[in-house]
Amino acid sequence: MKKTFAVALSLMLVAAVACRRAEKAESPAKPNASKKASKKSTTPMPEYTALNLDGTKFDLAKRRDKAVLLNVWATWCGPCREEIPELQKLHDHYGPRGFEVIGVSVDESGVDSVKEFISKQEKMAYPIVLDAEGRIANLLQTSVLPTTILVNRDGEIVWKKFGPVSGQDQELTKAIEASL
């Protein structure tokens, strides 16, 4: 129990420091430079499967009919909790056009704990999968929570963010619109 708490506390500290670094690194750039960077930075999303909270298999490759915003988060992560309303707004707004937010919980506390958090504390209506082993973090080469990526219908990562998502992020809006 003490070891799990120590690991969780260490991850929170790393996430907090990394979020601050990511925010500083994302200072406004020249509009043309950021457009070029986002076009050139598309990379194929590796195959990824996990378990839905109901125990069924989740396969990202089977979601190619949609643009998918994949959000890596945990119930104990403060910045993750703060961005949930923004993610829900994006899911609701763009959903009818073929867009979906999918939360990937890296909680080690178990399915019941995550289900309780979703239903009672945050009222999250977008799909959540459980990845307690953190395989998604390895695929995305990140130790920052939250980390969010946008995967277009061609299976390419077209946008990535370390730290909380903002509904005011114009680059995200442009990337979503281009992916639909």
Side-chain angles (χ1 to χ4, degrees):
M1 174 91 174
K2 289 181 181 181
K3 185 178 180 181
T4 302
F5 178 75
V7 169
L9 184 58
S10 298
L11 286 172
M12 286 191 311
L13 291 172
V14 168
V17 169
C19 287
R20 288 195 179 119
R21 286 182 184 164
E23 288 172 4
K24 288 179 184 177
E26 292 180 5
S27 60
K30 296 177 186 175
N32 290 339
S34 66
K35 282 184 184 177
K36 289 179 185 174
S38 65
K39 286 182 182 176
K40 290 182 181 177
S41 65
T42 61
T43 56
M45 175 64 192
E47 289 185 24
Y48 176 68
T49 61
L51 289 181
N52 292 302
L53 293 181
D54 65 3
T56 60
K57 184 179 178 180
F58 167 81
D59 186 348
L60 182 60
K62 292 186 178 179
R63 292 242 185 330
R64 290 280 171 87
D65 60 328
K66 300 177 181 184
V68 176
L69 191 70
L70 205 60
N71 175 254
V72 184
W73 69 287
T75 58
W76 47 263
C77 168
C80 301
R81 288 176 176 230
E82 290 174 18
E83 73 178 350
I84 291 170
E86 294 296 330
L87 294 170
Q88 188 62 56
K89 286 178 191 174
L90 290 170
H91 183 77
D92 294 343
H93 179 75
Y94 291 107
R97 295 176 54 197
F99 173 83
E100 185 173 39
V101 172
I102 297 176
V104 180
S105 170
V106 293
D107 283 277
E108 295 177 352
S109 58
V111 172
D112 291 336
S113 173
V114 175
K115 282 182 179 178
E116 182 178 338
F117 177 85
I118 292 165
S119 65
K120 294 183 180 177
Q121 294 185 22
E122 295 297 336
K123 309 283 187 212
M124 299 161 75
Y126 51 89
I128 304 295
V129 299
L130 188 60
D131 183 358
E133 298 85 25
R135 289 180 303 108
I136 189 69
N138 288 333
L139 286 175
L140 300 178
Q141 299 175 347
T142 185
S143 61
V144 178
L145 289 180
T147 292
T148 307
I149 62 167
L150 178 62
V151 181
N152 68 14
R153 292 177 179 174
D154 294 326
E156 300 170 321
I157 299 172
V158 295
W159 181 88
K160 189 173 188 178
K161 166 100 176 177
F162 301 101
V165 169
S166 166
Q168 309 306 318
D169 186 325
Q170 293 301 313
E171 291 300 316
L172 173 57
T173 301
K174 289 176 189 175
I176 292 171
E177 291 288 340
S179 296
L180 298 174

